[in-house]
Amino acid sequence: MAAWSSSPSLRHLLLLRPRLPLSPTCLAGSFSRRHIHSHSRRRFLSSASSSMLTHGDEASTHVDANGVVDVNPPRGTRDFPPEDMRLRTWLFDQFREVSRLMAFEEVDFPVLESEALFIRKAGEEITQQLYNFEDKGGRRVVLRPEITPSLARLVIKQGKSVSLPLKWFTIGQCWRYERMTRGRRREHYQWNMDIFGVPKVRAEAELLQAIVLLFQRLGITSSDVGIRVSSRKVLLAVLNMYSIPEHLFTQVCVIVDKFGKLTREEIEKELMSTGLSSEAVQGIIEVLSLKSLSKLEEVLGSGVEAVADLKKLFSFAEQYGYADWICFDASVVRGLAYYTGIVFEAFDREGKLRAICGGGRYDKLLSTFGSEDIPACGFGFGDAVIVELLKEKGLLPDMSRQIDDIVFPLDEVLEGPASSIASSLRKKGRAVDLVEDKRLKWVFKHAERINASRLILVGNSEWERGMVRVKILSTREEYEVKADELD
Amino acid sequence: MAAWSSSPSLRHLLLLRPRLPLSPTCLAGSFSRRHIHSHSRRRFLSSASSSMLTHGDEASTHVDANGVVDVNPPRGTRDFPPEDMRLRTWLFDQFREVSRLMAFEEVDFPVLESEALFIRKAGEEITQQLYNFEDKGGRRVVLRPEITPSLARLVIKQGKSVSLPLKWFTIGQCWRYERMTRGRRREHYQWNMDIFGVPKVRAEAELLQAIVLLFQRLGITSSDVGIRVSSRKVLLAVLNMYSIPEHLFTQVCVIVDKFGKLTREEIEKELMSTGLSSEAVQGIIEVLSLKSLSKLEEVLGSGVEAVADLKKLFSFAEQYGYADWICFDASVVRGLAYYTGIVFEAFDREGKLRAICGGGRYDKLLSTFGSEDIPACGFGFGDAVIVELLKEKGLLPDMSRQIDDIVFPLDEVLEGPASSIASSLRKKGRAVDLVEDKRLKWVFKHAERINASRLILVGNSEWERGMVRVKILSTREEYEVKADELD
């Protein structure tokens, strides 16, 4: 379930490719036309100021003529210094906590996978940007662009030994490679939740609760964020209405997913090129513009699976209590080839950002790997857009350090006692920073900076009596205590 | 700080390379001679039965003629199904808790790094087994074999903006690539703790406390495990005694690290080939056999830095209270080129396993990247050997699932109430598994399997009165309660 962060802005394209002829034809050309979407542009600009989202420097990592190593991580990748790591850990903890509440089990897979898992012919962006290469043994491998195929692989591998349904989640890094752009990220982390073995939309209803629970834990409300829901069976029904062969289904889905990125004319052209009649193309485009379930029922008829599934899901939403978060929007199809039923994506209601997460049902993925199908659905939730949203809403929590004690010997001869005091406090479960060779003034500043609760000063005159001086930093209270009575 | 798991066994070499001429010469040849170390063999055999350590299947991942995808992860890599993931999470939580007690901050880096960071000429195993390749932009990149160079890179990048000392830890996956062997792992996870900016052995003393705290938390005692300590300055002193030029230092270190893997004759031969006199070679080998600090002082003299450092560290060990865990052993030099001072490794006292972790001081690494040096030391602690040890000692904790509630509607018409009950319990912080379309018998079995605390049955007759039936699974107590009073 890839939910990559944004495309580069038009401005970037213009600045960085000066030799590019700037005719409208070119901008609507095959590699660049989707970059003219204005939301993408705004998102990109805002992300540039976010530390969680810091891009690798433009320069590639290398050694210069003086033997100086480039200190930036490889282009498009991130380091996580302590403050960024605290933010990441906090976010992942939220993912994990929601997964726990939903009774999902955590799994993981190698970040390096066989390329064969990701080769699909539907023209998806994700498979066009594989970070693939040949290993030294001549095998085609890839830094995974998404996690779902690995999940499917493990489900097949486990075979009869597991009892369905399976409810699995994972948080892992995913990669993509693009040649032409600069400043775009090549990796992100993604939280995935997947259910295998539940054919009913109950599974989708559970996934949607997980997403809403996450938003609620983060302080995000249903006036900040909504979840658009549709079903690929809507498109299937339209294809049936026009007697379009089903083998075109996946291709049509991948094309119509570009709505909002391409112009209507471009979409029509791509659809026509698959061999569809212009009548069918108009029919598809009309249905995709529907935003009401009753209208959909009118157009497709109530006997259609798409309508029944969606009605059921909206009724579940009422019962779970998250109906105000979701809305029907036929234009949602998602970009992955393998979705077969309900699809959904979360979006910020101000329309500034790209999709926050996305997912859907993929009942036929296992057979593409040569195995028997198991009904399945899941979502991917990236680490980038959500952090931007939290920043924008002022919802990021205080990310400062938190230390229990600083132990500071006032004299070098007291390093022994300081060692045993620090050691014994740690054994009691306290987080202790042992500081030496600094001035007292530095130590006080340091204590403030790392939010220490106590300062434990080991001085000569106190130590002669087996005592240390304790300072509670919040209250500025100070007292002496026997070293072995500290706790 | 690479601490890779073991080499393959001799048996494997023999079985899997039948065309290999089996003369002793060949087995002592350049690629295979270290595999005759008996400890490695035993370790490998025991690891084969460990699920945490499951190897990728021998077959490479690919698609067969019928379009069936190989369900194994790429050769030498692991999937983490739920039970293995629980073990990994538990172990990483121990790493994190000890790091917290020691007041270290977590950082992280891309698993993909510039190859330039890892190019060193000392003939280390780690640089001979780089998982490197060229990306599509023509850059030489590598799946990192160890984390220390990335740490150093970030320290340089942060520059004056950080206040020393830095105490950082990280837990990350590391990779290696070997062509010839089968069944060996190509990835492992490694916990690293590093201190930048502390020139005194206080830093080493802190790192050793962290390692001991970890062992203690895991239930491992000092009769199970010891930590061998020496200093590379011991070798430096010997080189000085024989007026050997210092530029040979690193090379000599990498060679003598092979003690125990190569025979004494092989070590001597390699040392001679660097241009050392046979007198010097004998001198080195004699000093390396020393196991007592007083003997070392006798041989080198007390004015030597190596002796002073080691004495200081052993006195710290007394003050921290972990002296029974550590012992001096001059044969410890560790295999990484960049160590400059104290080096150490933890080992199981039964001698069955490879080193559990290893580390040391590396005061000159930053200048190899073209930056000003900052004194530094750290260790790497892999996820493989420790798990084997815990298994062997029967110290692995209960890894079963733990769910609070199972909500089960006894009739399909009750799926609505079941949804709101599950939803509201989750909002209250309870981990709830919502089960449908199963027989009651299955549900009871399931409850046992996932260690559910309560079973909440939503039945028609109770629901008519707004009630549900609750069963406490540990006591078999059963009662009715109003649905909206559940908590």
Side-chain angles (χ1 to χ4, degrees):
Chain A
M1 315 285 154
W4 282 103
S5 62
S6 177
S7 324
S9 67
L10 175 58
R11 180 182 140 266
H12 257 69
L13 267 182
L14 300 184
L15 287 178
L16 302 176
R17 294 183 62 91
R19 282 163 304 170
L20 195 72
L22 294 177
S23 71
T25 327
C26 168
L27 286 171
S30 67
F31 75 87
S32 64
R33 56 192 168 190
R34 65 200 168 72
H35 305 314
I36 56 180
H37 186 42
S38 65
H39 292 172
S40 302
R41 180 179 175 194
R42 265 179 287 154
R43 203 209 72 80
F44 177 78
L45 292 176
S46 73
S47 81
S49 62
S50 142
S51 70
M52 180 85 174
L53 302 162
T54 307
H55 306 104
D57 201 276
E58 300 296 348
S60 64
T61 312
H62 66 278
V63 183
D64 75 9
N66 304 315
V68 177
V69 166
D70 185 341
V71 295
N72 296 297
R75 195 203 281 207
T77 70
R78 291 169 291 177
D79 289 326
F80 290 88
E83 56 283 11
D84 294 355
M85 192 65 197
R86 283 196 292 276
L87 174 54
R88 186 179 114 182
T89 301
W90 167 79
L91 182 64
F92 288 8
D93 283 350
Q94 308 298 318
F95 293 157
R96 287 209 168 85
E97 174 58 9
V98 169
S99 305
R100 186 190 71 80
L101 294 173
M102 301 298 301
F104 278 55
E105 297 182 272
E106 190 166 3
V107 292
D108 198 16
F109 309 94
V111 69
L112 191 79
E113 276 281 12
S114 163
E115 189 187 58
L117 278 183
F118 303 92
I119 298 291
R120 298 189 295 258
K121 289 171 195 146
E124 299 153 274
E125 184 180 89
I126 199 166
T127 59
Q128 288 164 351
Q129 299 181 345
L130 286 183
Y131 205 131
N132 54 2
F133 59 96
E134 196 168 286
D135 76 10
K136 294 172 185 173
R139 281 170 212 90
R140 297 295 308 171
V141 289
V142 62
L143 289 171
R144 62 172 176 211
E146 55 158 339
I147 299 177
T148 312
S150 302
L151 276 164
R153 184 176 60 60
L154 184 56
V155 169
I156 300 171
K157 185 178 160 194
Q158 299 249 26
K160 305 281 179 221
S161 76
V162 292
S163 134
L164 294 176
L166 280 183
K167 308 203 290 180
W168 283 354
F169 82 97
T170 181
I171 302 169
Q173 202 169 19
C174 297
W175 295 76
R176 67 172 169 194
Y177 193 95
E178 286 181 292
R179 246 200 145 96
M180 39 83 53
T181 57
R182 300 176 74 146
R184 285 189 73 179
R185 286 250 305 285
R186 287 190 173 148
E187 53 78 21
H188 74 169
Y189 282 87
Q190 210 180 81
W191 171 41
N192 279 242
M193 290 184 85
D194 292 83
I195 300 176
F196 284 84
V198 176
K200 297 183 180 175
V201 294
R202 164 67 81 186
E204 286 89 331
E206 289 274 293
L207 295 178
L208 291 176
Q209 184 183 16
I211 293 168
V212 171
L213 278 176
L214 192 270
F215 287 138
Q216 288 169 333
R217 286 185 67 83
L218 299 179
I220 292 169
T221 68
S222 59
S223 38
D224 301 322
V225 161
I227 306 174
R228 295 188 189 102
V229 181
S230 184
S231 170
R232 287 210 173 165
K233 289 178 187 164
V234 170
L235 269 175
L236 200 59
V238 180
L239 296 195
N240 288 339
M241 275 167 68
Y242 293 94
S243 309
I244 302 163
E246 283 204 13
H247 74 263
L248 289 179
F249 176 62
T250 306
Q251 218 178 328
V252 169
C253 288
V254 171
I255 294 170
V256 298
D257 176 57
K258 298 176 192 165
F259 246 102
K261 293 170 195 160
L262 305 195
T263 64
R264 179 173 169 151
E265 290 68 38
E266 286 157 353
I267 300 273
E268 286 175 4
K269 217 169 116 189
E270 283 204 34
L271 286 173
M272 302 283 284
S273 75
T274 66
L276 263 60
S277 69
S278 77
E279 203 195 347
V281 169
Q282 292 315 314
I284 289 171
I285 289 179
E286 264 164 48
V287 168
L288 288 180
S289 68
L290 297 178
K291 310 268 182 220
S292 122
L293 212 45
S294 54
K295 203 85 192 164
L296 183 76
E297 193 167 355
E298 238 170 67
V299 176
L300 300 185
S302 59
V304 167
E305 260 186 69
V307 175
D309 282 0
L310 285 162
K311 282 171 99 172
K312 183 86 197 171
L313 185 56
F314 279 85
S315 120
F316 269 131
E318 294 287 349
Q319 292 153 348
Y320 279 88
Y322 56 73
D324 49 331
W325 291 79
I326 70 169
C327 56
F328 169 70
D329 183 338
S331 74
V332 175
V333 286
R334 301 297 299 159
L336 293 168
Y338 47 68
Y339 289 133
T340 53
I342 298 285
V343 279
F344 53 86
E345 61 189 27
F347 64 99
D348 70 304
R349 295 202 191 264
E350 287 188 62
K352 288 187 187 173
L353 310 173
R354 273 173 59 99
I356 303 165
C357 70
R361 176 166 289 278
Y362 53 96
D363 285 348
K364 311 272 183 203
L365 180 59
L366 269 56
S367 60
T368 67
F369 296 151
S371 176
E372 218 170 299
D373 276 322
I374 296 176
C377 64
F379 67 81
F381 195 120
D383 69 341
V385 182
I386 186 65
V387 169
E388 274 185 81
L389 182 68
L390 291 170
K391 277 192 182 142
E392 206 154 284
K393 304 279 177 199
L395 291 170
L396 284 181
D398 173 26
M399 285 290 156
S400 48
R401 281 180 82 180
Q402 191 61 61
I403 296 292
D404 295 323
D405 299 320
I406 294 178
V407 172
F408 180 62
L410 291 159
D411 190 314
E412 208 182 326
V413 299
L414 294 169
E415 63 179 15
S419 306
S420 23
I421 290 164
S423 175
S424 100
L425 286 169
R426 286 164 177 161
K427 282 178 197 159
K428 287 173 184 159
R430 294 187 69 85
V432 179
D433 192 17
L434 176 50
V435 175
E436 275 179 338
D437 301 325
K438 298 282 185 187
R439 285 162 187 277
L440 193 56
K441 204 177 152 190
W442 185 94
V443 178
F444 274 104
K445 266 198 172 166
H446 178 63
E448 216 168 279
R449 203 169 46 230
I450 66 175
N451 278 309
S453 306
R454 297 192 303 188
L455 184 56
I456 294 159
L457 299 169
V458 190
N460 273 310
S461 60
E462 291 91 351
W463 185 248
E464 277 166 15
R465 291 173 282 117
M467 309 288 277
V468 292
R469 187 140 208 86
V470 175
K471 187 170 172 119
I472 308 293
L473 287 149
S474 57
T475 60
R476 289 161 192 271
E477 186 193 350
E478 246 188 272
Y479 54 89
E480 270 188 23
V481 65
K482 276 203 155 168
D484 47 18
E485 282 170 10
L486 263 177
D487 55 12
Chain B
M1 316 281 155
W4 282 104
S5 63
S6 176
S7 323
S9 66
L10 175 57
R11 179 179 142 266
H12 256 69
L13 267 182
L14 300 184
L15 286 178
L16 303 177
R17 293 183 63 91
R19 281 163 303 170
L20 195 73
L22 295 177
S23 71
T25 327
C26 168
L27 285 172
S30 67
F31 72 87
S32 63
R33 56 193 168 192
R34 66 198 166 70
H35 304 315
I36 56 181
H37 185 41
S38 64
H39 292 171
S40 303
R41 181 180 173 194
R42 265 178 287 154
R43 201 208 73 79
F44 177 77
L45 292 176
S46 72
S47 83
S49 61
S50 141
S51 71
M52 180 83 173
L53 302 162
T54 308
H55 306 104
D57 201 276
E58 300 296 348
S60 64
T61 312
H62 66 278
V63 183
D64 74 10
N66 303 315
V68 176
V69 167
D70 186 342
V71 295
N72 296 296
R75 196 202 281 208
T77 70
R78 290 169 291 178
D79 289 326
F80 289 88
E83 57 283 10
D84 294 356
M85 192 65 197
R86 283 198 290 275
L87 174 55
R88 185 179 114 183
T89 301
W90 169 80
L91 182 65
F92 288 8
D93 283 351
Q94 308 298 318
F95 292 157
R96 288 209 167 86
E97 173 59 10
V98 168
S99 305
R100 186 190 73 80
L101 294 173
M102 300 298 301
F104 278 56
E105 296 182 272
E106 190 165 3
V107 292
D108 198 17
F109 309 95
V111 70
L112 191 78
E113 276 280 13
S114 163
E115 189 187 57
L117 278 184
F118 302 93
I119 298 291
R120 298 189 294 257
K121 287 173 196 145
E124 299 153 276
E125 184 179 89
I126 200 167
T127 59
Q128 288 164 351
Q129 299 180 344
L130 286 184
Y131 205 130
N132 54 4
F133 60 96
E134 197 168 284
D135 75 11
K136 293 173 186 173
R139 282 171 210 89
R140 296 293 310 169
V141 288
V142 62
L143 290 171
R144 64 176 173 207
E146 54 159 339
I147 298 175
T148 313
S150 302
L151 278 164
R153 183 176 61 61
L154 184 57
V155 169
I156 300 170
K157 184 178 160 195
Q158 298 249 22
K160 305 280 179 225
S161 77
V162 292
S163 134
L164 294 176
L166 280 182
K167 308 203 290 180
W168 282 354
F169 81 97
T170 180
I171 302 170
Q173 201 170 19
C174 297
W175 297 75
R176 67 173 168 193
Y177 193 94
E178 286 180 293
R179 251 204 141 96
M180 39 85 48
T181 56
R182 300 176 75 144
R184 285 187 73 178
R185 286 251 307 284
R186 286 191 173 148
E187 53 76 24
H188 74 169
Y189 281 87
Q190 211 181 78
W191 172 41
N192 279 243
M193 291 183 85
D194 291 84
I195 300 177
F196 285 84
V198 176
K200 298 183 180 175
V201 293
R202 164 67 80 185
E204 287 89 330
E206 289 273 295
L207 295 178
L208 292 176
Q209 182 181 20
I211 293 169
V212 171
L213 278 177
L214 191 271
F215 287 138
Q216 287 169 334
R217 286 185 66 84
L218 300 180
I220 291 169
T221 68
S222 60
S223 37
D224 300 323
V225 160
I227 305 174
R228 295 186 189 104
V229 180
S230 184
S231 170
R232 286 212 173 165
K233 290 177 186 164
V234 169
L235 269 175
L236 200 59
V238 180
L239 295 194
N240 288 338
M241 276 168 67
Y242 293 94
S243 312
I244 302 164
E246 282 204 15
H247 74 263
L248 289 178
F249 175 62
T250 305
Q251 217 177 328
V252 168
C253 288
V254 171
I255 295 170
V256 299
D257 176 56
K258 298 177 191 164
F259 246 102
K261 293 172 195 161
L262 305 193
T263 64
R264 177 170 172 154
E265 290 68 38
E266 286 158 352
I267 299 274
E268 286 176 3
K269 217 168 114 189
E270 284 204 32
L271 286 174
M272 302 283 283
S273 75
T274 66
L276 263 61
S277 68
S278 76
E279 202 193 351
V281 168
Q282 292 316 314
I284 289 170
I285 288 178
E286 264 164 47
V287 168
L288 288 179
S289 67
L290 297 176
K291 310 269 180 217
S292 122
L293 211 45
S294 55
K295 203 84 191 164
L296 182 77
E297 193 168 356
E298 236 171 66
V299 176
L300 300 184
S302 60
V304 166
E305 260 186 71
V307 175
D309 283 1
L310 285 163
K311 281 170 99 170
K312 183 86 198 172
L313 185 55
F314 279 85
S315 119
F316 270 130
E318 294 287 348
Q319 292 153 349
Y320 279 89
Y322 56 73
D324 49 331
W325 291 79
I326 70 168
C327 55
F328 169 69
D329 182 339
S331 73
V332 175
V333 286
R334 301 298 299 160
L336 292 168
Y338 47 69
Y339 289 133
T340 52
I342 297 287
V343 279
F344 53 86
E345 60 189 28
F347 63 99
D348 70 305
R349 295 202 192 263
E350 287 188 61
K352 288 188 188 173
L353 310 173
R354 273 174 60 98
I356 303 165
C357 70
R361 177 167 287 279
Y362 52 97
D363 285 349
K364 311 270 182 204
L365 180 60
L366 268 56
S367 60
T368 68
F369 295 151
S371 177
E372 219 171 297
D373 276 322
I374 296 175
C377 63
F379 67 80
F381 195 120
D383 69 340
V385 182
I386 187 65
V387 169
E388 275 184 81
L389 181 69
L390 291 170
K391 276 193 181 144
E392 205 155 284
K393 304 279 178 198
L395 291 170
L396 283 181
D398 173 27
M399 284 292 157
S400 47
R401 282 181 81 182
Q402 191 62 59
I403 296 291
D404 295 323
D405 299 321
I406 293 178
V407 173
F408 181 63
L410 290 158
D411 190 312
E412 208 182 327
V413 300
L414 296 168
E415 63 181 14
S419 306
S420 26
I421 290 165
S423 175
S424 100
L425 286 169
R426 286 164 176 161
K427 282 178 199 159
K428 288 174 183 156
R430 295 187 67 86
V432 179
D433 192 15
L434 176 50
V435 175
E436 275 180 337
D437 301 324
K438 298 281 185 185
R439 286 162 187 276
L440 192 56
K441 205 176 153 191
W442 186 94
V443 178
F444 274 105
K445 266 197 173 167
H446 178 64
E448 216 168 277
R449 203 170 46 229
I450 67 175
N451 278 308
S453 306
R454 297 192 303 190
L455 183 57
I456 294 159
L457 299 169
V458 190
N460 273 312
S461 60
E462 291 90 352
W463 187 248
E464 276 167 17
R465 290 174 283 118
M467 309 287 277
V468 293
R469 186 142 209 85
V470 175
K471 187 169 172 120
I472 308 293
L473 287 148
S474 57
T475 60
R476 289 162 192 272
E477 187 191 348
E478 246 188 274
Y479 55 89
E480 268 188 22
V481 66
K482 276 203 155 169
D484 47 19
E485 282 169 10
L486 262 177
D487 53 15

